[in-house]
């Protein structure tokens, strides 16, 4: 078949390997965050492949950002919900 | 002049002139007829080399008619070639072998084609075609007409007489003691224990019942060689061939590398005048059986004995050859089109496969799976993608967004022309299957037919880019995937525009859900919208009561695209990538996983899954105990492994190495690509080769290793259901249903 170019998963693995020394030098708690960021990139391999970018790491960074932003939005919504519940409780207690 | 009507059983070159055809006539007789049939091959190259070839061929002892003519090359258009025509097809393979050595600089066309394909292109014949022939008193055919089409879905099936021959035990495991012969009228057992087994009964069966089709188990690799050797030792004729002058054609075993794995093909024994199928040497036999093999033969025009033993790729290649011959297009020996030069950026954008999403991990309810109908072949036909029609001057990725403009459309390409009738036939069969009861007599053959077509259609895409494909071109291959990606993204956009949540995309399928959508009619607007946006046929594969997309074993946060299981609303279970689908899973573990799924399939919705847990717990406990106490039959613990390296290439004493070593000791050295059977054992060696001689002490079974495999298989199913690992099964005494009440059914679902 075709496939003379590495697959997007291969590229992501290679990027992760390239940064192994960087990861090693991080504190344990930061290493876990590092792993989470790469997990986020893994989730968007299809989009990164489709983009066909010459520098795929840029798309991986954006993928990490997307997951991060999703989490922020999710937490934001949770905070809003909790705030609304507190307001409601306070109004009832009054 | 005599006229006969019947089914075409076999076709092969006459030892001197023309070809021989075996006809199963309407009067019940099997007639051997001869037909004058000349074959032509072509050569292209420099003028003086063609002149040399002319002189060379003129000096050959056989009669060869030579001429200079113009023929169409698929890519170069009309070219001037030397045509060599001979009345005796039997001499062509030998002659061609000489020519490739003497004239390696010339390009040969139509030189290595199967005689059945040439006949199919000229007369429209195919194996088991209904034919009407007019023959003279010497049984020489003067006229032949085919009365039906290979594309018919209902046809008069040939009343084949079938003989099955089976040993009492697997000869790869131990020497069989008996051979069972069965025809419609007779059932005979031949004792192999005696010093001289009597072959008289086989002679009797072959002459009295005169079978058209001999179906054997290990016939190619063990049975026929054994019987022929015994016949030689006893100086007894064994008329496996119906043609008394025909030779049994023998093909050597071989291993080759394809699709990143080593494939093994056992030796073959082809008969003349009747057919021999070895069910253990028949490709995809487990998938479509004899009905599928016969359907493969019909649509590819390759003889039944050949098509049973070759890959679907050879089948699709045969279909392309027939189309080329019918259109008077030259058939090259191999692919001659090289890839055009591309920049790195173009390579990144064009050298891609289909779109595959990471599914949303967890358990989902009321999910519809919608699939494009044979997506890649449909794309090739709909958008006229063929090696000669693809526009190679522009990058595919830029053009594909405008679906219509990518390929040249003035002439229907060779590949779409080949695939269109096959797609249409599959579509008709699948439509019929939807209306037929499972007990309808046509159901089994229709099902086998669609399975056979599926394999041909799956391979036709790969063959566009395959290095040995005669009509391949990498740009056409890339164009198909580019269209595939575009089409699937359009489908995704349509689903999202209609308010569906897309859980997963996988090359040609999409898993979607929407609150309130549970019935097929709820998904109709989506199907219509996708059809409108892509102009390709799409269908609802089914609606899952529930489906679980599983995470990777190494990282629970990452999904695996093709690892899921679910139950459709009609109760049908679908699994992908889990232990039940893996060929190296021991039967005991596969059955356990399937039993759990069958229990879960009874639940009507996600909420009631919890009610199945007590039954599952009982099953798991019972099977765990059986494993622990050594009550599981040994053959249920066999692991199958395909050999991909030689014994001296192993670097560690892994179980496969140990098993190979034992097999080699008893002289059963398997070839690369062959599968071996082993049982994991404690200590060294790490495995026992199931097919090695000697008794095996069951106490040596590595129970802890099987237990790990067992737990992993149970976990895979129960994790998404219970939201926790199945270690609860071992703490069964503490378990009450109250413990499970708080467990979220979508514990693994990401926000």
């Amino acid at each position: 078949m075709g496939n003379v170019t590495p697959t997007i998963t291969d590229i992501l693995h290679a990027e992760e390997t390239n940064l192994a020394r960087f990861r090693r030098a991080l504190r344990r708690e930061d290493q876990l965050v590092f792993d989470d960021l790469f997990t986020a990139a893994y989730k968007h391999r299809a989009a990164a492949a489709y983009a066909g970018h010459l520098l795929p790491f840029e798309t991986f960074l954006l993928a990490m950002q997307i997951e991060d932003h999703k989490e922020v939005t999710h937490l934001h919504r949770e905070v809003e919900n909790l705030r609304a519940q507190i307001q409601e409780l306070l109004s009832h207690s009054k | 002049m005599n006229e006969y009507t019947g089914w075409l059983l076999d076709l092969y070159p006459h030892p001197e002139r023309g070809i021989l055809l075996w006809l199963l006539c309407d009067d019940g007789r099997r007639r051997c007829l001869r037909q004058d049939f000349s074959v032509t091959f072509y050569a292209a190259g420099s003028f003086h080399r063609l002149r040399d070839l002319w002189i060379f061929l003129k000096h050959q002892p056989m009669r060869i008619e030579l001429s200079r003519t113009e023929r169409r090359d698929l890519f170069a258009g009309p070219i001037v070639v030397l045509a060599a025509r001979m009345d005796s097809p039997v001499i062509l393979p030998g002659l061609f072998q000489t020519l490739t050595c003497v004239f390696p600089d010339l390009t040969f066309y139509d030189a290595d084609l199967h005689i059945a394909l040439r006949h199919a292109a000229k007369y429209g014949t195919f194996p088991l075609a209904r034919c009407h022939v007019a023959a003279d008193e010497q049984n020489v055919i003067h006229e032949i007409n085919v009365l039906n089409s290979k594309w018919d879905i209902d046809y008069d099936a040939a009343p084949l007489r079938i003989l099955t021959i089976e040993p009492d035990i697997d000869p790869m495991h131990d020497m069989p003691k008996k051979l069972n012969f069965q025809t419609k009228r007779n059932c005979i057992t031949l004792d192999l224990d005696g010093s001289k087994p009597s072959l008289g009964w086989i002679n009797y069966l072959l002459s009295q019942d005169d079978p058209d089709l001999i179906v054997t188990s290990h016939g190619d690799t063990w049975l026929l060689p054994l019987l022929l050797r015994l016949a030689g030792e006893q100086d007894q004729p064994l008329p496996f061939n119906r043609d008394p002058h025909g030779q049994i054609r023998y093909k050597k075993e071989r291993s080759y590398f394809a699709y990143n794995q080593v494939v093994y093909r056992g030796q073959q024994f082809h008969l003349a005048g009747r057919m021999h199928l070895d069910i253990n040497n028949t490709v995809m036999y487990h998938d479509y059986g004899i009905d599928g093999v016969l359907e493969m033969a019909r649509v590819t025009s390759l003889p039944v004995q050949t098509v049973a033993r070759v890959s679907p790729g050879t089948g699709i290649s045969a279909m392309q050859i027939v189309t080329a011959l019918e259109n008077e297009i030259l058939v090259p020996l191999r692919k001659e089109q090289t890839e055009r030069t591309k920049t790195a950026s173009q390579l990144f954008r064009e050298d891609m496969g289909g779109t595959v999403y990471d599914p949303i991990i967890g358990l989902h309810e009321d999910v519809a799976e919608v699939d494009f109908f044979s997506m890649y072949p449909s794309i090739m036909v709909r958008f006229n993608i063929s090696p000669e029609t693809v526009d190679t001057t522009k990058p595919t990725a830029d053009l594909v967004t405008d679906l219509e403009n990518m390929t040249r459309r003035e002439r229907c390409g060779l590949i779409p022309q080949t695939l269109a009738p096959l797609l249409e036939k599959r579509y008709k069969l699948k439509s019929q299957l939807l209306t037929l009861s499972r007990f309808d007599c046509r159901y089994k053959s229709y099902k086998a037919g669609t399975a056979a077509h599926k394999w041909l259609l799956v391979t036709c895409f790969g063959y566009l880019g395959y290095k040995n494909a005669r009509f391949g071109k990498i740009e056409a291959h890339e164009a198909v995937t580019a269209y595939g990606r575009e089409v699937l993204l359009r489908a995704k956009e349509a689903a999202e525009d209609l308010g569906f949540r897309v859980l997963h995309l996988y090359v040609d399928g999409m898993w979607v859900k929407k609150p309130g959508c549970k019935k097929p009619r709820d998904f109709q607007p989506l199907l219509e919208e996708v059809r409108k946006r892509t102009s390709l046929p799409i269908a609802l594969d089914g609606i899952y009561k529930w489906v679980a997309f599983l995470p990777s074993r190494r990282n629970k946060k990452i999904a695996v695209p093709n690892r899921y299981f679910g139950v459709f609303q009609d109760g049908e279970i679908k699994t992908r990538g889990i232990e039940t689908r893996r060929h190296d899973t021991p039967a005991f573990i596969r059955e356990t996983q399937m039993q759990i799924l069958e229990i879960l399939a009874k639940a009507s919705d996600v909420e009631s899954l919890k009610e199945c847990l007590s039954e599952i717990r009982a099953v798991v406990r019972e099977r765990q105990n059986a494993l622990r106490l050594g009550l599981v039959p040994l053959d249920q613990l066999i692991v199958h492994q395909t050999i991909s390296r030689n014994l001296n290439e192993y670097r560690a004493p892994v179980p496969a190495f140990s098993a190979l070593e034992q097999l080699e000791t008893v002289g059963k050295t398997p070839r690369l690509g062959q599968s071996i059977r082993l049982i994991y054992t404690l200590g060294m060696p790490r495995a026992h080769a199931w097919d090695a001689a000697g008794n095996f002490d069951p106490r040596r079974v590595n129970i802890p290793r099987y237990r790990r495999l067992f737990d992993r298989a149970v976990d895979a199913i129960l994790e998404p259901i219970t939201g926790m690992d199945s270690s609860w099964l071992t703490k069964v005494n503490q378990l009450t249903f109250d413990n499970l009440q708080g467990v979220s059914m979508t514990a693994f679902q990401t926000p």
Side-chain angles (χ1 to χ4, degrees), chain A residues 1-6 11 13 32 35-36 38-39 42-47 49-54 56 70-71 74, chain B residues 259 344-345 347-349 351-353 355-358 401 462 465-466 474 477 485-486 489 555 557-559 561 750-751:
Chain A
M1 308 318 103
N3 283 334
V4 283
T5 51
I11 295 172
H13 278 314
L32 298 176
D35 293 343
D36 273 352
F38 266 89
T39 302
Y42 272 100
K43 286 183 180 170
H44 297 282
R45 279 172 293 171
Y50 183 71
H53 207 292
L54 257 185
K70 264 167 70 181
E71 190 71 22
H74 173 69
Chain B
Y259 295 92
S345 167
L347 263 180
F348 269 113
R349 296 196 67 188
D351 186 21
M352 285 196 263
T355 296
V356 176
Y357 261 25
D358 281 4
T401 45
Y466 183 44
I474 204 76
H477 182 86
R485 291 189 294 274
E486 177 63 25
L489 287 181
N555 185 344
K557 290 180 184 169
I558 296 178
T750 51

Side-chain angles (χ1 to χ4, degrees), chain A residues 24-94:
Chain A
R24 191 181 172 204
L26 291 173
R27 289 191 183 85
R28 176 55 56 89
E29 66 264 29
D30 295 337
Q31 283 180 351
L32 298 176
V33 177
F34 175 96
D35 293 343
D36 273 352
L37 286 175
F38 266 89
T39 302
Y42 272 100
K43 286 183 180 170
H44 297 282
R45 279 172 293 171
Y50 183 71
H53 207 292
L54 257 185
L55 299 170
F57 195 66
E58 288 184 1
T59 43
F60 297 148
L61 289 175
L62 199 58
M64 295 169 188
Q65 195 77 38
I66 287 173
E67 284 300 303
D68 224 22
H69 193 70
K70 264 167 70 181
E71 190 71 22
V72 169
T73 315
H74 173 69
L75 293 174
H76 191 73
R77 210 177 296 135
E78 287 285 297
V79 170
E80 287 299 319
N81 285 343
L82 289 171
R83 189 177 285 160
Q85 282 175 29
I86 292 167
Q87 288 292 341
E88 208 177 313
L89 283 171
L90 285 174
S91 63
H92 279 301
S93 63
K94 281 175 189 170

Side-chain angles (χ1 to χ4, degrees), chain B residues 196-211:
Chain B
K196 262 193 173 182
S198 166
L199 302 178
W201 279 111
I202 308 177
N203 260 324
Y204 171 80
L205 268 183
L206 289 171
S207 53
Q208 284 303 303
D209 289 357
D210 189 20

Side-chain angles (χ1 to χ4, degrees), chain B residues 471-637:
Chain B
F471 298 109
K473 190 167 187 170
I474 204 76
E475 281 78 11
H477 182 86
E478 288 171 352
V480 176
T481 55
Y483 270 108
R485 291 189 294 274
E486 177 63 25
V487 161
L488 197 66
L489 287 181
R490 286 186 182 207
K492 177 199 79 101
E493 285 158 4
E496 286 173 342
D497 289 349
L498 293 177
F500 287 91
R501 186 176 188 208
V502 178
L503 299 173
H504 190 24
L505 292 178
Y506 196 86
V507 185
D508 62 348
M510 183 164 70
W511 285 256
V512 292
K513 66 182 281 186
K514 185 178 174 182
C517 290
K518 289 184 174 190
K519 299 260 182 276
R521 65 167 182 274
D522 300 330
F523 297 92
Q524 274 311 314
L526 171 64
L527 299 181
E528 276 156 29
E529 187 59 27
V530 174
R531 254 179 241 135
K532 205 172 94 189
R533 293 193 193 189
T534 63
S535 68
L536 288 179
I538 189 165
L540 180 68
D541 202 40
I543 302 171
Y544 291 93
K545 284 197 277 192
W546 51 266
V547 59
F549 293 111
L550 302 179
S552 151
R553 281 204 204 104
R554 280 166 46 184
N555 185 344
K556 297 280 182 198
K557 290 180 184 169
I558 296 178
V560 182
N562 206 17
R563 204 165 115 81
Y564 62 89
F565 60 88
V567 177
F568 285 108
Q569 286 178 345
D570 64 359
E572 190 194 334
I573 297 167
K574 183 168 182 178
T575 63
R576 291 289 180 273
I578 60 170
E579 283 74 2
T580 49
R581 295 280 295 190
R582 293 181 58 93
H583 76 280
D584 59 350
T585 307
F588 176 71
I589 291 169
R590 202 167 43 233
E591 280 166 19
T592 306
Q593 207 178 41
M594 211 55 215
Q595 257 181 302
I596 297 174
L597 280 169
E598 278 161 9
I599 295 168
L600 291 171
K602 288 186 258 176
S604 56
D605 54 26
V606 166
E607 277 307 307
S608 46
L609 282 173
K610 276 188 283 186
E611 290 157 22
C612 305
L613 289 174
S614 61
E615 199 179 337
I616 292 172
R617 186 181 54 185
V619 167
V620 172
R621 293 273 294 166
E622 185 195 322
R623 293 182 78 89
Q624 267 176 358
N625 283 339
L627 185 61
R628 187 168 53 85
L629 299 170
L631 301 175
V632 180
L634 285 178
D635 60 357
Q636 294 261 300
L637 297 175

